[in-house]
Amino acid sequence: MFTRTTGFLIIPAWLAAMSWLVVHDVWPTLAALPAPPLAVTEWLKTDGLRSRYLILDEFGPIGTVWSEYFIDEDAVRREDLIWVDRLAAVEKMAAQFTPLRLNVSSTYTGEGELDELTIRAENRVAEMRLHGERFHADFSFVFESGPVERAFKVPLTEGRMISGALHPFGAMTNLRVGQRFRMQVVNPLASLTGFGSRFMPMVVEVTGEERITTPDGDWNCLIVESQRARAWIDANGAVIIQEIDLPILGKLRIVRQGSFDDEGRIRTRGTFLRRP
């Protein structure tokens, strides 16, 4: 039986629950600012121009990322070539989905804002292309796969920073502890396999500092994290390690390597995937 006394007890409990919701879910999203722009530092012009990453799942290496920056006075272009040998999470269908090659091209304005993004994904049986351009209030995308073509928009309030799921964080040269910003991660594997969401919105925060040990030495890093991703970024802006938790595939770890391996990149770019 509902009484006035019961009502007096429920209202404070409801207010407390709503306060918890605002603090833990709503406020972090409202407080998030636009992603920090890409700053062209001396490091990015020299040592940061080319890097290679190893992609690992819980069983070991599954692929490689080659990342390059091309810089001129008016724009910066980032080119990522990604090769995936296998996907243990979809092992029974691996013959269809792997090997997988992705080309991700990101163009930034002279002010360091993402201006265009193109993702091409290809395996033995299918290919897709996603192209987006920044306008005044949104990113406008066109998705193409075979006869399918769709157009849609992502508001800039949700997507000033947009990247691919297998290399979500590129050089980040403007970070400080306490920053919180929104980004969108595109999962092209979802388009090819039908598993998971194609876009994953995230609120990312620079939560602190940590010294990590890698085969190439010890690094003092800022920690950048969200519910789905985490990265360790050194003082220059180089991403040393990043992790992302993807639907179906689980947690992937992407680790910076000491050498670029230009021969491997050329071989991967020229590999013919499509069946006759």
Side-chain angles (χ1 to χ4, degrees), residues 49-52 64-68 257-265:
L49 281 177
R50 309 175 95 200
S51 53
R52 179 172 65 94
T64 306
V65 179
W66 290 267
S67 187
E68 297 181 271
Q257 304 296 292
S259 63
F260 184 74
D261 184 19
D262 201 28
E263 290 184 4
R265 181 186 65 88

Side-chain angles (χ1 to χ4, degrees), residues 127-180:
E127 59 183 305
M128 56 138 285
R129 179 181 183 270
L130 179 71
H131 177 73
E133 297 184 35
R134 183 167 70 103
F135 289 91
H136 178 68
D138 55 55
F139 247 90
S140 293
F141 284 95
V142 175
F143 171 83
E144 301 171 272
S145 181
V148 177
E149 181 174 321
R150 292 199 303 272
F152 60 95
K153 296 180 179 181
V154 175
L156 287 184
T157 53
E158 300 174 11
R160 286 184 182 272
M161 181 176 178
I162 305 173
S163 62
L166 295 179
H167 190 35
F169 296 103
M172 302 190 75
T173 52
N174 249 332
L175 295 180
R176 65 180 186 279
V177 174
Q179 278 178 309
R180 182 185 289 119

Side-chain angles (χ1 to χ4, degrees), residues 103-241:
N103 289 277
V104 183
S105 179
S106 308
T107 303
Y108 299 82
T109 66
E111 290 74 39
E113 297 282 352
L114 181 65
D115 196 42
E116 287 190 47
L117 174 72
T118 303
I119 298 177
R120 294 181 178 87
E122 178 187 11
N123 61 15
R124 288 192 177 101
V125 297
E127 59 183 305
M128 56 138 285
R129 179 181 183 270
L130 179 71
H131 177 73
E133 297 184 35
R134 183 167 70 103
F135 289 91
H136 178 68
D138 55 55
F139 247 90
S140 293
F141 284 95
V142 175
F143 171 83
E144 301 171 272
S145 181
V148 177
E149 181 174 321
R150 292 199 303 272
F152 60 95
K153 296 180 179 181
V154 175
L156 287 184
T157 53
E158 300 174 11
R160 286 184 182 272
M161 181 176 178
I162 305 173
S163 62
L166 295 179
H167 190 35
F169 296 103
M172 302 190 75
T173 52
N174 249 332
L175 295 180
R176 65 180 186 279
V177 174
Q179 278 178 309
R180 182 185 289 119
F181 54 90
R182 299 181 186 89
M183 66 180 290
Q184 293 274 356
V185 172
V186 183
N187 183 9
L189 295 173
S191 299
L192 289 173
T193 65
F195 299 131
S197 301
R198 292 180 177 88
F199 274 77
M200 297 186 298
M202 298 192 304
V203 176
V204 181
E205 184 174 1
V206 185
T207 58
E209 299 182 45
E210 184 178 350
R211 187 169 180 82
I212 61 173
T213 299
T214 74
D216 294 320
D218 295 342
W219 306 87
N220 291 321
C221 293
L222 290 171
I223 304 170
V224 177
E225 57 187 325
S226 73
Q227 288 183 327
R228 286 189 175 272
R230 198 177 196 201
W232 289 261
I233 300 172
D234 76 7
N236 291 316
V239 183
I240 306 301
I241 299 172

Side-chain angles (χ1 to χ4, degrees), residues 16-85:
M18 289 303 295
S19 298
W20 185 92
L21 176 66
V22 169
V23 169
H24 289 271
D25 291 332
V26 179
W27 173 247
T29 302
L30 292 175
L33 298 172
L38 176 66
V40 179
T41 63
E42 287 303 314
W43 168 81
L44 187 60
K45 293 178 182 178
T46 53
D47 296 340
L49 281 177
R50 309 175 95 200
S51 53
R52 179 172 65 94
Y53 295 84
L54 195 64
I55 308 172
L56 305 101
D57 66 7
E58 59 179 316
F59 302 106
I62 66 167
T64 306
V65 179
W66 290 267
S67 187
E68 297 181 271
Y69 286 86
F70 301 88
I71 301 170
D72 61 35
E73 293 182 358
D74 301 318
V76 176
R77 191 174 85 254
R78 168 184 156 192
E79 297 285 342
D80 296 332
L81 173 62
I82 303 169
W83 178 266
V84 178
D85 290 303

